[in-house]
Amino acid sequence: GCPGVLAVLGLEAAALGECELTRLLQDKLQYEMRLQYMKHYFPIDYTVQVQYEEVLRPSNITRLRNGTVSEAALRYLWFHVSSQAVLRIREVLPEKHPSWKYTQELCQLFDALGEEYSKYQQ
């Protein structure tokens, strides 16, 4: 990863561009990290309520990809659904929770990516 980038994310992230921000998010969202911060640190039977429309399934992506949806639109869809999911989790986490810092870093990366996407017409 880029620990220096994450340390000064508030100022530097906006200058990174979509590809670098996506790579940083990919690093943060690796299976092992999600398992540690989003499963092991949560109590058994702990749930966050989501609407059916908020779940992004691989079959839906395949259907969209086979249709007329552009790759840029699919990337924006992934960004929107993922950032909203992280915000939902943040709503229920107390600040002293072991996953607080991890989700805060995810939110900062998604915010920076949102700034990048706001430059484009969607």
Side-chain angles (χ1 to χ4, degrees):
C2 300
V5 172
L6 291 176
V8 291
L9 198 54
L11 297 175
E12 310 268 332
L16 292 176
E18 179 185 0
C19 291
E20 183 65 15
L21 288 167
T22 304
R23 189 187 66 72
L24 289 170
L25 274 165
Q26 182 179 2
D27 290 347
K28 278 276 177 209
L29 293 171
Q30 286 182 19
Y31 177 74
E32 294 80 15
M33 294 192 79
R34 286 184 290 126
L35 188 64
Q36 177 181 352
Y37 289 105
M38 295 296 149
K39 182 177 180 183
H40 293 328
Y41 287 166
F42 278 79
I44 294 174
D45 297 330
Y46 192 84
T47 59
V48 175
Q49 296 295 320
V50 295
Q51 300 296 317
Y52 177 79
E53 297 80 17
E54 294 175 300
V55 178
L56 193 58
R57 291 180 167 70
S59 61
N60 293 343
I61 295 299
T62 301
R63 194 172 319 122
L64 290 169
R65 184 171 278 142
N66 292 339
T68 59
V69 178
S70 70
E71 284 297 316
L74 287 174
R75 287 195 310 269
Y76 182 78
L77 176 63
W78 173 84
F79 155 77
H80 181 72
V81 170
S82 299
S83 62
Q84 293 305 303
V86 172
L87 288 175
R88 273 295 175 91
I89 292 167
R90 292 278 294 177
E91 288 174 0
V92 300
L93 282 181
E95 280 191 45
K96 295 191 186 295
H97 192 281
S99 296
W100 179 264
K101 186 174 184 322
Y102 173 73
T103 55
Q104 182 178 24
E105 290 171 356
L106 286 175
C107 284
Q108 289 172 332
L109 285 168
F110 278 119
D111 285 348
L113 189 57
E115 287 291 317
E116 192 65 27
Y117 282 137
S118 71
K119 296 176 187 175
Y120 309 116
Q121 292 286 1
Q122 292 293 334

